[in-house]
Amino acid sequence: MFKLISTQQAGSLTIYIDGQPCQVPAGISVAAGILLNNALPSRTTAVSGAPRAPFCMMGVCFDCLMEIDGQANQRACQITVAEGMRVNKQLSSGRPPA
Amino acid sequence: MKSNHELIVIGAGPAGMAAATSAAELGVKTLLLDEQAAPGGQIYRNREHIAAQTAALLGKDYQQGQTLIAAFRASKADYQPNSLVWSIDHQRTLGILHNQQAQMIPAKHIIIANGAMERPLPFPGWTLPGVMNAGAAQILMKGANAIPTGGVVIAGSGPLLLLLGWQYLQAGVPVKAILELSPVNNIWQALLRLPAALIAGHYLLRGFKYLLALRRAGIPVIINVSQLKACGDEHLQRVEYKLGRRKHHIDSDTLLVHFGLQPNLHLSELAGCRHLWHEGQQCWVADTDSWGNSNISGIAVVGDSASIGGARAAKHQGKLAGLEAAYALRAISREQRDHMAGKDRRWLQADLRIRPFLQKLHRLPSALLATADDETLVCRCEEISAGQIRQAVRDGHHSPNAVKFFSRCGMGPCQGRQCGSAVAHIVAQSLQQAVEQQAPFRARPPASPISLSQLADLKISDTQT
């Protein structure tokens, strides 16, 4: 969905999105890395299993929640990428019917 | 971290940086806490390290942020980035998370300058991947040199639509259309405020410059749009809207929306500060005096975290609040404070003259604010629709807080930040009341996520008072 403005700033770090190695520039947020690699949806909701993606990029909507280095429910827009970081989508098929 | 600071400023945007700089210059032991890794806030995000090419695309206003950042860096204020404030109370104790370590620290004086957020406005399909805030797209440009791969539709209301369209035009991003949803009839009320707005006419000139460039490039800028809808299964495929009675659609995988800004009131609400409904801004704002002081002793709320005035106004308000903190902490006399405030107060007043015009021009109709479509999800977290909220009101839950207890609307991870405004409008509309008669969701700690193990490991600093 997003690309870098200039090809000169190509990826310099490797992060693993659902186990797949992806090149990303240093210093960007995990959510930016997800959008640059078109790894959407970044989660499905616990309530209905609906697909979601980063929405506000500033930590107020909580729609970019992902599992980052083993910790669930992290705001991907607030965490900076690091070499070897493991980012997993939080997938749910939704709450069972009552 | 030692807690030998007299003043703690929260937020490194224009207001926070100006406040910390001016107070520290007067000898106040000042600490500035910020969530980001570098100063600038959202408006000047990544200004110090951004690629020159991207800075050029973002325009002069963004580039000029460097002056304020350099002054802050050169000041004696201590600066602790990557710090989350998860708690604040009326006794001026802050809960902070930094390097995984939670800590409670007291302060004699606090300036809340955590800025604004984009007004969340639920419309059909707004939760679909491919739909993002326009400000989020700017954050991607500033923080990651990232622009949309294909074409985009920009929709909503306010000057940011034109600014982002212009920035994308420079960057070579195909802008398929800009859809302005505020009613065209707003112009008559706005025109009455135009003479006063001419004092801050540079804003108007820039708006015309962007509009002209977009028109010349053949980008459709469509006004008086209604019934915006994002369509697709797993991802956005099509944007639908109405113009008059006719339905239109644009195929697009990216829709960037913006409906103006509202103060991010979570911290000031937790601190117990009083808030008022602002009819022009169509949101709650912090009730402060002309120095930024709230009703809570020793706590000021400034810049866009108090009331929307933009980055320039925020800078002047921050400076004034810094002087006031220095006076309250006895670093300067009242006369010195008043003397030093003169210029900033005048510039602030001149700068704010544009606001009533913009507020009237981009005033949103109640059908939009109160989510007319019953099927639309209002609470993104708990997935509660407008219809469910209306039903809750019919069932006797006559306030946003009552609706929250009954339906879980606003109880998810975002703690009501995204649905709060819409819920208040829906409840008020259902009861045929004015929205200011309602109280917003009550904010609850922690203001930001903190794990139980981090809480269990909490350090409580000695008081320095």
Side-chain angles (χ1 to χ4, degrees), chain A residues 1-6 8-9 25 27-29 31-32 35-36 38 40-41 43 45-63 65 71 73 75 77-78 80 95, chain B residues 35 42 45 51 53-54 57 84 116-117 126-127 129-133 136 139-141 143-149 168 233-235 253-254 257 264 377 380-383 413-414 417-418 448-449:
Chain A
M1 208 175 131
F2 280 80
K3 64 178 182 185
L4 292 171
I5 288 175
S6 155
Q8 293 163 351
Q9 312 139 340
I28 70 168
S29 67
L35 291 162
L36 285 169
N38 205 21
L40 299 180
R43 71 173 185 122
T45 62
V47 178
S48 73
R52 293 288 170 86
F55 180 71
C56 79
M57 294 299 290
M58 55 173 283
V60 293
C61 81
F62 290 70
D63 247 323
L65 294 181
Q71 275 211 306
N73 294 318
R75 287 177 291 174
C77 71
Q78 298 298 96
T80 306
R95 276 179 200 156
Chain B
E35 216 171 351
Q42 303 303 345
R45 179 185 273 265
Q53 187 188 7
T54 312
L57 292 173
L84 212 59
M117 54 185 271
W126 76 310
T127 55
V131 183
M132 282 180 93
N133 281 335
I139 289 170
L140 280 160
M141 201 160 159
N145 291 305
I147 50 174
T149 315
Y168 277 173
D233 295 326
E234 292 290 299
H235 195 101
D253 71 350
T254 309
V257 292
N264 192 351
L377 287 187
R380 299 173 68 96
C381 299
E382 293 293 324
E383 297 184 57
C414 94
R417 286 171 171 92
Q418 294 294 304
S448 296

Side-chain angles (χ1 to χ4, degrees), chain B residues 3-310:
Chain B
S3 59
N4 59 349
H5 297 100
E6 303 164 287
L7 168 65
I8 297 185
V9 181
I10 304 166
M17 288 193 291
T21 305
S22 67
E25 263 172 15
L26 298 167
V28 175
K29 288 177 188 154
T30 303
L31 170 67
L32 187 144
L33 300 168
D34 189 52
E35 216 171 351
Q36 291 187 45
Q42 303 303 345
I43 190 90
Y44 305 132
R45 179 185 273 265
N46 200 29
R47 177 64 192 91
E48 291 172 304
H49 303 294
I50 198 159
Q53 187 188 7
T54 312
L57 292 173
L58 286 163
K60 281 209 179 88
D61 274 1
Y62 174 77
Q63 294 158 29
Q64 282 163 1
Q66 184 58 32
T67 314
L68 195 54
I69 295 173
F72 168 63
R73 288 280 197 192
S75 78
K76 289 201 173 103
D78 286 328
Y79 168 51
Q80 186 177 286
N82 299 310
S83 299
L84 212 59
V85 175
W86 51 268
S87 169
I88 180 172
D89 65 21
H90 67 284
Q91 293 169 316
R92 298 187 303 275
T93 306
L94 290 171
I96 294 161
L97 184 67
H98 178 63
N99 283 341
Q100 303 293 316
Q101 176 68 56
Q103 195 176 16
M104 304 291 291
I105 54 172
K108 283 183 185 168
H109 203 97
I110 294 174
I111 298 177
I112 299 175
N114 62 204
M117 54 185 271
E118 294 183 271
R119 183 200 309 275
L121 198 137
F123 63 91
W126 76 310
T127 55
L128 260 185
V131 183
M132 282 180 93
N133 281 335
Q138 285 203 309
I139 289 170
L140 280 160
M141 201 160 159
K142 292 168 185 171
N145 291 305
I147 50 174
T149 315
V152 297
V153 176
I154 302 173
S157 178
L160 186 70
L161 307 187
L162 297 180
L163 172 63
L164 182 64
W166 178 80
Q167 288 168 339
Y168 277 173
L169 183 65
Q170 314 296 310
V173 176
V175 179
K176 295 181 179 180
I178 295 178
L179 310 176
E180 171 62 56
L181 272 86
S182 52
V184 71
N185 285 337
N186 282 358
I187 191 76
W188 305 113
Q189 285 293 318
L191 281 176
L192 295 174
R193 276 84 185 170
L194 186 60
L198 292 174
I199 290 175
H202 56 98
Y203 288 114
L204 298 171
L205 286 177
R206 244 172 309 160
F208 279 120
K209 177 185 138 185
Y210 300 149
L211 193 58
L212 207 64
L214 291 162
R215 291 270 191 206
R216 278 201 188 129
I219 293 166
V221 180
I222 304 167
I223 59 168
N224 213 24
V225 164
S226 62
Q227 299 196 21
L228 178 71
K229 190 175 176 184
C231 306
D233 295 326
E234 292 290 299
H235 195 101
L236 178 74
Q237 291 165 324
R238 198 174 64 254
V239 178
E240 294 183 358
Y241 63 95
K242 262 178 127 173
L243 195 58
R245 287 184 182 173
R246 282 194 62 180
K247 276 190 180 174
H248 299 262
H249 73 268
I250 305 169
D251 291 332
S252 183
D253 71 350
T254 309
L255 168 63
L256 302 171
V257 292
H258 178 82
F259 294 93
L261 297 170
Q262 63 186 39
N264 192 351
L265 298 173
H266 228 70
L267 289 182
S268 54
E269 279 176 351
L270 275 182
C273 301
R274 195 166 49 226
H275 296 85
L276 301 169
W277 179 260
H278 192 292
E279 190 50 30
Q281 297 178 35
Q282 300 182 282
C283 59
W284 275 281
V285 300
D287 183 13
T288 59
D289 68 12
S290 67
W291 298 97
N293 295 313
S294 74
N295 57 309
I296 306 290
S297 168
I299 298 185
V301 194
V302 295
D304 279 2
S305 54
S307 174
I308 303 303

